[in-house]
Amino acid sequence: MIAHDIVIRPIITEKSMSGVLNKVYTFEVAKSANKIEIAKACEELFKVEVAKVNTVSVRGKFRRQGRNNGGYSKSWKKAIITLKENSKPIEFFEGMM
């Protein structure tokens, strides 16, 4: 897998944006990617140094469509990436603060 296949999109919520000042960033990642692959992909894409990676598998929620129809939204994987102290911040998130 290449880096663009591993890191799918940034997660932009109030809780995830509160960690930006401490160099903690949140991304949606490929379900099959492990922590080592995620760290290497972030270092390659954003030119930063990753200290640690935490992952969470998010279960799909039950969604109703009408009276009798229902189904589940897709399940996905979230990665919380902490950068090293001497690493530069990710510029994408800096424009949002």
Side-chain angles (χ1 to χ4, degrees), residues 7-8 12-13 17 20 22 30 39 48-49 57-58 60-61 64 67 71 73 81 83 85 89:
V7 178
I8 298 171
I12 301 168
T13 61
M17 295 307 285
V20 171
N22 300 327
V48 295
E49 296 177 35
S57 292
V58 181
K61 293 183 180 179
R64 292 191 53 83
R67 188 170 175 182
S73 61
I81 295 153
L83 302 182
E85 288 295 322

Side-chain angles (χ1 to χ4, degrees), residues 39-51:
K40 287 181 181 176
C42 286
E43 287 175 350
E44 181 184 327
L45 284 174
F46 304 113
K47 310 288 189 273
V48 295
E49 296 177 35
V50 175

Side-chain angles (χ1 to χ4, degrees), residues 12-45:
I12 301 168
T13 61
E14 278 188 47
K15 187 173 183 178
S16 68
M17 295 307 285
S18 66
V20 171
L21 297 174
N22 300 327
K23 295 186 179 180
V24 178
Y25 302 96
T26 309
F27 295 96
E28 180 182 344
V29 295
K31 286 172 76 170
S32 61
N34 60 32
K35 291 182 180 187
I36 297 165
E37 292 171 340
I38 294 167
K40 287 181 181 176
C42 286
E43 287 175 350
E44 181 184 327
L45 284 174

Side-chain angles (χ1 to χ4, degrees), residues 43-88:
E43 287 175 350
E44 181 184 327
L45 284 174
F46 304 113
K47 310 288 189 273
V48 295
E49 296 177 35
V50 175
K52 71 177 186 175
V53 177
N54 295 339
T55 59
V56 180
S57 292
V58 181
R59 212 169 26 161
K61 293 183 180 179
F62 184 74
R63 301 287 186 186
R64 292 191 53 83
Q65 301 230 330
R67 188 170 175 182
N68 299 322
N69 299 333
Y72 287 88
S73 61
K74 71 174 188 148
S75 57
W76 52 285
K77 192 173 199 177
K78 175 168 50 173
I80 299 139
I81 295 153
T82 306
L83 302 182
K84 291 183 180 176
E85 288 295 322
N86 58 356
S87 176
K88 67 180 181 79

